Amino acid sequence: MKQQIFIIAGALIVLILILVWVYLLFFGTPKSAQDVFSEFGLNGEVDNSIVEAPVEIEEVSTSPTERPKLRQLTTKLVAGFREVKNNNIPLVYFVEKGTGHLYSINPRDGEEVRLSGTTIPNTYKAAISSEGNFMAVSSFTNSKNQPLVVGEISTSSGALELVEGFKQNVRDFSISDSNELLYAMTVNSGLSGYAYDLETAKSKELFKLPFIEATIQWSKLGSLGSQYLYPKPSYALEGSLFEAKNNKVSRLPVDGFGFSALANDDIIIYSSTEGEKAISTIFNRETGVGEKLNTLVMPEKCFLPDSGYDLVCANESVQVPFEFPDVWYSGEFSFKDSLYLISSKELLSAELMVDTLTTSGRELDITNLQTGVNKTEIYFTNKNDDSLWIYEI
Amino acid sequence: MKYVFFILVFILIPVSFSFAQSNLSVGSEGLSIDIEPTYIKPLSKFTVSLNDYSFGSQVAGIKWQINNKLMSESANERSVSLVSPEQGGQMVIEAVVELVGGGKSVARKVITPTYLDIIVEPQTRTPFFYQGRSLPSIDSRMNLIALVNGTTVSSNDLIYTWQLNNKVVDGGSLRGKNTITITIPMGQYNIITLEVSNLAGESLVRRSIQVRNFTPKVTFYEVSSLYGQSKRAVTNLSLISDSDSIQAEPYYLDIETYNKPDLLEWKLGGVKSPTSAGNPYQITLARNGGNGRSTVDFHVRNLTQLLQGSQGSFNVNF
């Protein structure tokens, strides 16, 4: 009984499937392609608008962690630069070499804005005030006495409004944090230093030296601080360090052949030639003790704050020629520097911050080291091409 | 009895005092302190020695005192190493000599360390961007400037005696003459000696320095019309653009020769090239079709003093 029911049910199912197949064979063929593919529209409507392929957007992060820590800030050649006060956000002002045009650049997004278009032909060196409202520019000539142009930048027109009376032959200059133009000029076969207050237009003498060929380390504190001076270095001639403060010049206890130095209230770092080898020493001014570094560190390649025992220096551990530092000044020898943090408070130590050649692929002969207002940025120029660089700590 | 005691005390005290004074004679004849080096810089090491060569008495013991403080560790030493005080400071050194058979004698020396810096400023050519000092060459002029620190006497109250190769300059000692100009004589190097005395004729400090003579050398630099002279020296130049300007810098050439050279010429591939009327030390190299390699020579010289001159060359690929 059961077997007969199963056979009848199976035969019925097979018959139904045959009938469905016959129906589809003769009546189920689609009349057009639209009958084959479904069209999905709103509420059953047909949407005929063109659907474009989605554009692939490459995400560009602006978070500081993804920017290269070491990078070139501008392609322009730089005559002078300074990080200016800008509500704790880094903003760098720089003067273009050759033209004297003033620019600002935001180190975070690289936005570059021309602030002053007043052209000062043959601009070679520039200094900018801490708020970016004054600048001083010297031009290259065939003489070491250079004409100096000092001006205030108009906030409305961007033009440079010249401060009169600064066309003398100036040997060196800087602008302090207190808006004083510090400059040295030859007077009666000697060198005299002055501080000119850019706000009040008052001038005062800082020092008077009987020699002319001097390298000057200007104080950021202006006339209130110490100006350090030494005869320009040469491996064949002796030099020594002098401190000018309160219109009095005193001799400091460091000297040597090929002598160059960088000083603050606590330490003096200096390089000199001992025998036929150039060496560097850190002299503790409190204890009167000098400690030799095991590698040559040029003071011209260091940043030293007004006080304290830590300094940032650029250095390459390499054998230098016998005629060093003369051949470095003449551009016949150059370095491929790395940046180091040197501490000399108790035990002398050095910590590598960045190997610039490996990191950037460029040969950087670092000079003009400065730190930013927040102490989180280090700026410098490459002596090889006067380009401006940043390293974010 | 009590009165006798007081009388004896009053009589004996002056006697014992005068006895002590007579034995503490300062700088007894034949007893002195020698110092090496003779003139001492502040904060520098020096050695003091007792000189009793011609002292009549036999020495039993020596005590050294510095600024009235006894150096117990240096007892009976004939020489002692010391470090001089800072600039402006003084050090009183005493050697108290105990004599055989009793008695004492004292030799005293007062040290006032002084800096004497002789700053050399050769009047020779270096380019304006050069941060180093120029060097002297034969027949060039050189300024010498003396700076005396660590003494309260102003430079106008000092007498300066300059010597060049053991010959006194300007005929003798001169008051307040802390700057002189010399012409570099022939030779490999020069010895400059300066002695500074006070108005009483007492020698305060003396120093000699040796300054080498250098041969002028030529270095070449590219010049951009916009950015000026490059600070990188050129040894081989690849002429990428149609033209390039090159500046020759004859380092250490006397300024007068630099300004008015008897001979100044450029050669391109061995052929003399016309010099620029504006700046004879500059040449503009222009591509004139084709390519290859050539040598650029530069020569500047004073024909009266032939050692005042220099020549150099660089290769150019174009």
Side-chain angles (χ1 to χ4, degrees):
Chain A
M1 179 63 187
K2 278 185 180 176
Q3 196 176 11
Q4 284 179 338
I5 292 168
F6 277 116
I7 291 168
I8 292 166
L12 280 171
I13 290 168
V14 171
L15 185 67
I16 290 166
L17 287 172
I18 290 168
L19 287 171
V20 169
W21 177 74
V22 169
Y23 174 79
L24 288 174
L25 185 67
F26 292 101
F27 305 103
T29 309
K31 293 181 176 66
S32 70
Q34 284 178 337
D35 292 341
V36 179
F37 300 104
S38 299
E39 292 177 333
F40 299 103
L42 190 63
N43 298 325
E45 290 176 4
V46 176
D47 185 0
N48 292 320
S49 63
I50 299 166
V51 179
E52 291 183 352
V55 177
E56 284 185 20
I57 299 169
E58 192 179 329
E59 282 192 22
V60 178
S61 172
T62 54
S63 68
T65 52
E66 294 189 17
R67 287 192 304 266
K69 283 185 166 186
L70 175 71
R71 59 188 185 276
Q72 187 174 340
L73 274 181
T74 175
T75 53
K76 294 183 173 66
L77 305 192
V78 173
F81 69 93
R82 183 173 199 155
E83 193 191 271
V84 297
K85 291 172 186 166
N86 184 42
N87 297 327
N88 288 333
I89 299 167
L91 187 67
V92 177
Y93 279 23
F94 71 88
V95 174
E96 188 186 26
K97 201 176 172 189
T99 65
H101 295 167
L102 178 71
Y103 293 83
S104 72
I105 187 163
N106 183 333
R108 293 191 176 165
D109 59 16
E111 186 189 10
E112 195 173 289
V113 178
R114 192 172 80 173
L115 302 173
S116 168
T118 303
T119 300
I120 303 163
N122 304 327
T123 293
Y124 172 71
K125 186 187 171 183
I128 300 160
S129 64
S130 59
E131 291 175 356
N133 50 340
F134 290 99
M135 62 187 253
V137 170
S138 71
S139 302
F140 55 81
T141 61
N142 205 25
S143 162
K144 288 182 182 174
N145 291 325
Q146 294 166 15
L148 186 66
V149 175
V150 183
E152 185 172 7
I153 299 129
S154 167
T155 49
S156 54
S157 66
L160 194 68
E161 293 166 1
L162 295 181
V163 176
E164 292 300 323
F166 278 99
K167 290 179 180 172
Q168 306 108 318
N169 292 330
V170 170
R171 285 262 163 174
D172 194 27
F173 62 95
S174 179
I175 298 179
S176 72
D177 287 350
S178 52
N179 270 359
E180 280 178 301
L181 174 73
L182 309 171
Y183 66 101
M185 53 190 290
T186 49
V187 179
N188 297 332
S189 308
L191 194 71
S192 292
Y194 301 93
Y196 175 85
D197 193 314
L198 291 163
E199 305 284 357
T200 63
K202 286 182 181 169
S203 187
K204 67 168 97 164
E205 189 177 270
L206 295 175
F207 58 82
K208 201 179 270 184
L209 290 175
F211 60 96
I212 295 170
E213 294 289 321
T215 302
I216 305 166
Q217 180 195 334
W218 298 104
S219 172
K220 287 182 192 145
L221 302 172
S223 54
L224 297 175
S226 293
Q227 325 298 326
Y228 296 97
L229 313 110
Y230 55 91
K232 286 186 174 179
S234 169
Y235 76 101
L237 300 173
E238 210 173 356
S240 46
L241 186 63
F242 298 89
E243 181 180 14
K245 193 172 187 180
N246 301 327
N247 216 1
K248 186 187 166 196
V249 178
S250 53
R251 166 74 147 79
L252 297 178
V254 284
D255 48 42
F257 284 83
F259 180 87
S260 65
L262 189 65
N264 69 8
D265 294 341
D266 299 308
I267 59 168
I268 301 165
I269 177 168
Y270 66 96
S271 61
S272 57
T273 306
E274 205 172 80
E276 292 187 355
K277 194 181 173 194
I279 56 159
S280 298
T281 307
I282 293 184
F283 180 84
N284 186 315
R285 296 183 70 175
E286 190 186 351
T287 62
V289 175
E291 195 170 352
K292 285 175 190 165
L293 299 173
N294 58 10
T295 184
L296 173 68
V297 177
M298 288 190 79
E300 290 94 331
K301 288 175 169 285
C302 290
F303 169 79
L304 182 65
D306 294 330
S307 61
Y309 298 83
D310 293 345
L311 61 162
V312 176
C313 292
N315 164 263
E316 184 194 12
S317 294
V318 67
Q319 181 87 27
V320 295
F322 173 67
E323 298 90 354
F324 187 85
D326 303 44
V327 286
W328 184 69
Y329 296 132
S330 65
E332 294 167 272
F333 175 82
S334 72
F335 290 97
K336 297 183 275 290
D337 288 319
S338 293
L339 281 176
Y340 290 87
L341 177 66
I342 297 174
S343 181
S344 65
K345 176 68 179 169
E346 289 166 355
L347 285 173
L348 199 58
S349 66
E351 180 192 332
L352 176 68
M353 299 174 84
V354 61
D355 178 341
T356 62
L357 181 62
T358 309
T359 310
S360 71
R362 296 269 299 274
E363 293 184 4
L364 301 180
D365 195 348
I366 293 174
T367 53
N368 300 320
L369 269 165
Q370 292 181 18
T371 59
V373 177
N374 299 330
K375 314 286 183 203
T376 51
E377 290 85 17
I378 295 172
Y379 304 99
F380 58 86
T381 53
N382 181 7
K383 183 173 175 278
N384 293 331
D385 58 8
D386 291 314
S387 57
L388 177 61
W389 288 70
I390 185 173
Y391 176 68
E392 288 178 305
I393 300 168
Chain B
M1 186 62 195
K2 195 163 64 178
Y3 294 108
V4 173
F5 174 76
F6 278 111
I7 290 163
L8 280 172
V9 167
F10 277 107
I11 292 168
L12 287 174
I13 282 175
V15 169
S16 65
F17 188 67
S18 62
F19 179 79
Q21 271 192 320
S22 63
N23 280 283
L24 281 171
S25 56
V26 176
S28 304
E29 202 169 318
L31 190 67
S32 62
I33 294 174
D34 290 345
I35 294 179
E36 177 60 35
T38 312
Y39 299 100
I40 299 163
K41 286 200 302 185
L43 298 173
S44 64
K45 286 180 184 172
F46 66 101
T47 307
V48 291
S49 310
L50 183 70
N51 184 347
D52 59 345
Y53 184 72
S54 53
F55 189 49
S57 308
Q58 218 175 346
V59 174
I62 306 165
K63 287 179 183 170
W64 291 94
Q65 288 188 165
I66 308 299
N67 294 336
N68 289 324
K69 283 184 184 170
L70 183 70
M71 291 178 70
S72 52
E73 70 277 9
S74 302
N76 298 326
E77 298 284 348
R78 297 199 71 84
S79 64
V80 179
S81 290
L82 299 168
V83 176
S84 61
E86 287 184 357
Q87 183 182 317
Q90 267 196 349
M91 183 183 266
V92 180
I93 304 161
E94 289 173 312
V96 182
V97 175
E98 294 165 357
L99 307 174
V100 172
K104 290 177 181 175
S105 192
V106 176
R108 179 184 287 142
K109 192 93 177 177
V110 180
I111 303 292
T112 308
T114 306
Y115 284 119
L116 174 58
D117 291 298
I118 301 173
I119 295 166
V120 175
E121 284 194 339
Q123 302 300 298
T124 57
R125 168 75 187 181
T126 51
F128 74 97
F129 65 81
Y130 186 70
Q131 291 176 295
R133 216 175 333 163
S134 52
L135 294 172
S137 53
I138 289 169
D139 210 37
S140 68
R141 287 177 305 114
M142 183 164 79
N143 294 341
L144 299 166
I145 303 116
L147 278 173
V148 182
N149 285 83
T151 175
T152 52
V153 187
S154 71
S155 64
N156 281 332
D157 291 335
L158 296 173
I159 295 166
Y160 296 82
T161 309
W162 292 91
Q163 288 182 23
L164 173 62
N165 298 330
N166 295 321
K167 287 180 185 167
V168 176
V169 178
D170 287 343
S173 306
L174 291 164
R175 182 175 174 176
K177 186 85 171 172
N178 67 327
T179 303
I180 59 164
T181 301
I182 59 168
T183 301
I184 303 293
M186 297 287 278
Q188 282 195 320
Y189 58 87
N190 300 291
I191 295 172
I192 293 144
T193 307
L194 173 63
E195 184 164 2
V196 182
S197 315
N198 60 20
L199 293 180
E202 182 191 352
S203 176
L204 298 174
V205 62
R206 179 188 166 95
R207 196 164 173 223
S208 291
I209 59 167
Q210 182 178 296
V211 182
R212 227 182 89 194
N213 288 341
F214 290 81
T215 307
K217 63 166 189 174
V218 177
T219 308
F220 300 95
Y221 299 91
E222 279 188 88
V223 181
S224 156
S225 55
L226 180 60
Y227 297 121
Q229 190 170 327
S230 165
K231 289 179 275 188
R232 270 195 121 169
V234 170
T235 48
N236 284 296
L237 179 73
S238 292
L239 197 61
I240 297 165
S241 58
D242 286 340
S243 67
D244 209 344
S245 292
I246 299 292
Q247 171 89 15
E249 287 293 352
Y251 280 78
Y252 320 142
L253 189 71
D254 180 48
I255 294 289
E256 285 179 18
T257 303
Y258 178 84
N259 289 332
K260 289 179 183 172
D262 295 332
L263 170 73
L264 191 151
E265 65 180 22
W266 287 91
K267 281 182 183 172
L268 186 57
V271 179
K272 196 175 169 185
S273 178
T275 53
S276 163
N279 181 0
Y281 289 91
Q282 205 172 102
I283 191 170
T284 300
L285 303 169
R287 189 190 291 276
N288 197 15
N291 51 40
R293 183 182 170 89
S294 188
T295 304
V296 179
D297 294 281
F298 173 79
H299 189 186
V300 61
R301 197 159 299 276
N302 178 343
L303 296 177
T304 312
Q305 171 49 269
L306 292 174
L307 293 173
Q308 267 304 325
S310 184
Q311 57 190 117
S313 64
F314 63 95
N315 294 319
V316 56
N317 296 307
F318 58 96

